[in-house]
Amino acid sequence: MGNICCQDPIQTSPPIIIEHTVKAGRVSIVSTASTAIKDSSRRVVSCIYDYREARSGKKFRKGDSLQIYNEIDDEWLKVLNLSTKQIGCIPKNYVTEETTNEIQEWFLGHTSRREAERLLMSQETLTKGLFLIRYSENKETGYALSVLDFDDKDDFHVVHFQIAINQNGILIDSSVYSTLSEAINSYKRNGIISKPCQKPQPHLWDLDVSHKKQWELSREDLQLGELLGEGNFAKVHLACWKNSTKVAVKILKEQSVSTDGLLAEASIMKQFRHPGLLTLYGVCSQTEPVYLVVEYMTNGDLLNYLRNDDGNKLKLSDLVDMAVQISSGMQHLESKNLVHRDLAARNVLVANNNIVKISDFGLARLLQENRYNDNFTSNIAYKWSAPEAIFFREFTTKSDVWSYGIFLMELFTYGMMPYPGIRNDEVIRRVRDGYRMEKPDIVPDDVYNIMQMCWKEKPKERISFSELTNFFNEYSE
Ligand code: ADE
């Protein structure tokens, strides 16, 4: 195992100059870039993020014009790069029609209010006026302008303006503009906005186009690096795939689960695509030990993160944002009828910008039921488990809701061990008799009320993940 050397992202090219006009409710953009060289029989799109094809090393640069050869499926395109004359495959979310807003540096498309706040607040240098424009969350047409501002205590925060569009033009804060660029220029002149915020690279759901369906990966393509963590069933290493992409490799300890069971589960997990769920890229299952190749999360597991210095800096609004991301990830699992069985801060991973994702979904059942494990109960995390899961093995979305309530307690106490001072076996008995964890001073009252709704004795009476998402989405201090 050596040092891994994944390549740095390639440089970006200068932006294209664009004009905007109002058309039927949405703003359309007319590119002034030359279209002379394009073959009109095939659609030409613009590359909006740098992308490097791992198998061939071919590079697509932001601003390149790409002629579509064919749509491979609903996520990948085969294209001719008109700038380099190379043919390659690129994810669809890396390109856009040249006449859409997506090409603009400041346009963030379907970004929620909370995501806009997270993005603006996590820019490398915070300056008043950093801004972005996104689709409005609650209006069918129209946009929102989100801007970084600071108050008299010099604390940064984000303000949002609704942008309505009608036949008169573009309306922001009761002023009318004929084009979006006119509105942006006027806001710039008045000092309300300055620079667009840095657009994040879209998420890669597959390592490359060939591994979308074929997810048995070759061990030789993985260069293992430092140990990131070790549990009862697996070690996790940082790794580099084909010298191009950083990944995490979960190396299962021999005989911890049956390979057949794992592969069946992995084929289901591979189809789960949600920003709140850790992406599974593939497996190496031909020989032992089995590898699970997953997305690398720079800040490791949430429990350790909360307990260290970085975690201590998190504000209540950051914790609320993390609570939303996890409940919406759980909502997605629920919609696919998957029960996690082991939701806890140790099974949540943290990337940059306070992005959090649920890991190990689907794995807990295999670990609990594996044939080498005589004692079923030995793997259950009692402090996180609903009574019916402990006593009757009734694992449902509602038992996941119970665990989510315990997870909230870990989150809002910066990693406190649940039921402090009470032993595992004692917890089971006391909870069965109606005892519930008390409220630490640091936890806000309304968040504690929500935890109690997760811990109703009857599973049916517990709050749902969609209600939890709504509650935290609307939460303000
Ligand atoms: N520790 C366990 N899994 C990890 C991952 N996917 N990324 C970073 N650290 C981890």
Side-chain angles (χ1 to χ4, degrees):
M1 291 179 198
N3 280 342
I4 60 165
C5 56
C6 289
Q7 293 181 0
D8 287 334
I10 51 181
Q11 293 300 307
T12 59
S13 55
I16 299 166
I17 303 155
I18 306 273
E19 288 297 319
H20 318 258
T21 53
V22 180
K23 227 194 235 171
R26 290 266 189 227
V27 176
S28 73
I29 294 168
V30 184
S31 171
T32 58
S34 162
T35 50
I37 51 161
K38 293 164 197 165
D39 172 359
S40 58
S41 65
R42 295 178 189 252
R43 219 151 48 94
V44 175
V45 290
S46 242
C47 185
I48 42 176
Y49 304 96
D50 294 337
Y51 177 72
R52 180 179 177 276
E53 205 184 47
R55 347 173 248 186
S56 62
K58 283 175 196 159
K59 288 174 183 171
F60 297 93
R61 288 170 189 275
K62 185 175 163 189
D64 283 354
S65 289
L66 312 176
Q67 188 178 50
I68 300 178
Y69 260 41
N70 63 295
E71 300 200 16
I72 296 170
D73 54 33
D74 49 0
E75 274 155 14
W76 289 86
L77 294 172
K78 187 168 180 186
V79 293
L80 166 66
N81 188 335
L82 296 175
S83 313
T84 62
K85 307 283 178 282
Q86 288 183 322
I87 294 173
C89 296
I90 187 164
K92 278 187 184 172
N93 55 359
Y94 276 61
V95 306
T96 185
E97 299 284 342
E98 292 191 335
T99 52
T100 63
N101 289 316
E102 269 75 6
I103 202 162
Q104 290 286 20
E105 274 188 293
W106 39 256
F107 192 70
L108 270 286
H110 291 285
T111 299
S112 69
R113 184 185 169 99
R114 276 207 182 274
E115 283 163 344
E117 289 172 0
R118 190 190 312 138
L119 202 65
L120 287 162
M121 294 294 289
S122 58
Q123 296 287 298
E124 228 162 76
T125 350
L126 296 186
T127 45
K128 185 174 153 67
L130 275 180
F131 75 100
L132 61 90
I133 292 193
R134 56 190 172 85
Y135 289 126
S136 166
E137 268 175 298
N138 33 25
K139 300 233 170 58
E140 221 158 78
T141 60
Y143 302 88
L145 164 68
S146 305
V147 187
L148 199 61
D149 196 5
F150 60 76
D151 54 29
D152 34 5
K153 286 188 235 129
D154 274 4
D155 270 342
F156 278 101
H157 64 275
V158 177
V159 285
H160 305 271
F161 301 85
Q162 282 301 326
I163 306 179
I165 293 161
N166 64 19
Q167 59 276 30
N168 299 325
I170 288 158
L171 272 88
I172 317 181
D173 238 10
S174 67
S175 301
V176 184
Y177 305 90
S178 51
T179 65
L180 202 47
S181 55
E182 187 188 312
I184 287 176
N185 287 336
S186 157
Y187 270 58
K188 273 191 183 160
R189 276 196 304 277
N190 294 340
I192 301 170
I193 59 175
S194 56
K195 282 193 309 185
C197 84
Q198 188 81 34
K199 233 177 182 179
Q201 196 91 347
H203 184 64
L204 268 186
W205 297 108
D206 309 299
L207 283 173
D208 74 10
V209 65
S210 57
H211 291 94
K212 187 179 159 79
K213 298 214 170 74
Q214 166 53 34
W215 40 276
E216 179 70 35
L217 302 173
S218 158
R219 260 171 235 261
E220 288 77 63
D221 290 338
L222 289 161
Q223 192 184 352
L224 295 187
E226 71 178 91
L227 181 69
L228 297 172
E230 181 163 9
N232 287 339
F233 306 101
K235 283 189 202 172
V236 184
H237 279 270
L238 175 61
C240 193
W241 181 77
K242 285 200 176 173
N243 263 340
S244 71
T245 313
K246 272 187 185 172
V247 291
V249 176
K250 199 172 247 272
I251 305 178
L252 296 189
K253 295 194 174 159
E254 286 179 31
Q255 301 191 335
S256 60
V257 292
S258 85
T259 308
D260 288 349
L262 180 87
L263 289 182
E265 202 64 33
S267 75
I268 299 168
M269 281 150 60
K270 184 79 177 79
Q271 283 145 40
F272 283 48
R273 295 181 167 199
H274 186 277
L277 302 177
L278 191 75
T279 305
L280 172 71
Y281 289 128
V283 296
C284 302
S285 65
Q286 300 299 326
T287 52
E288 297 246 357
V290 171
Y291 287 3
L292 288 182
V293 181
V294 296
E295 179 182 359
Y296 169 60
M297 301 284 282
T298 38
N299 290 319
D301 77 83
L302 178 62
L303 184 59
N304 280 311
Y305 186 74
L306 287 170
R307 289 176 177 178
N308 72 25
D309 292 347
D310 286 334
N312 270 314
K313 289 189 207 119
L314 294 172
K315 294 192 293 227
L316 181 60
S317 58
D318 299 322
L319 303 177
V320 168
D321 182 29
M322 289 178 165
V324 177
Q325 294 176 63
I326 298 307
S327 64
S328 71
M330 290 305 295
Q331 230 179 299
H332 188 74
L333 286 188
E334 178 182 10
S335 73
K336 303 271 177 190
N337 293 322
L338 196 128
V339 178
H340 189 296
R341 296 180 174 221
D342 198 13
L343 178 60
R346 64 183 169 277
N347 285 330
V348 168
L349 294 163
V350 189
N352 290 333
N353 305 348
N354 295 338
I355 288 174
V356 284
K357 301 193 182 204
I358 303 160
S359 85
D360 285 355
F361 44 95
L363 216 59
R365 182 179 58 78
L366 289 178
L367 295 171
Q368 285 163 3
E369 290 173 0
N370 94 65
R371 62 201 153 98
Y372 303 101
N373 178 17
D374 311 328
N375 181 2
F376 162 80
T377 49
S378 67
N379 286 328
I380 293 197
Y382 294 121
K383 286 189 173 182
W384 282 260
S385 301
E388 74 278 6
I390 297 173
F391 294 112
F392 310 113
R393 292 193 188 192
E394 279 172 19
F395 292 94
T396 61
T397 294
K398 290 296 185 186
S399 60
D400 278 350
V401 168
W402 179 291
S403 310
Y404 179 84
I406 308 288
F407 160 80
L408 285 180
M409 185 61 92
E410 295 181 279
L411 181 63
F412 284 88
T413 56
Y414 296 86
M416 177 190 87
M417 168 56 92
Y419 305 95
I422 311 182
R423 281 199 329 264
N424 261 340
D425 50 345
E426 181 71 3
V427 164
I428 306 175
R429 194 183 55 71
R430 287 181 61 179
V431 167
R432 187 197 54 201
D433 296 344
Y435 171 81
R436 296 293 182 268
M437 219 185 318
E438 281 141 38
K439 188 184 99 60
D441 289 344
I442 193 173
V443 175
D445 288 346
D446 38 8
V447 173
Y448 182 67
N449 288 343
I450 284 287
M451 293 177 192
Q452 287 181 308
M453 291 185 206
C454 298
W455 302 330
K456 295 264 185 213
E457 190 190 336
K458 294 201 178 94
K460 270 205 307 236
E461 289 173 9
R462 289 176 204 152
I463 189 168
S464 68
F465 280 119
S466 84
E467 288 166 320
L468 285 160
T469 306
N470 290 342
F471 172 81
F472 285 112
N473 249 330
E474 271 146 38
Y475 189 90
S476 58
E477 292 155 48

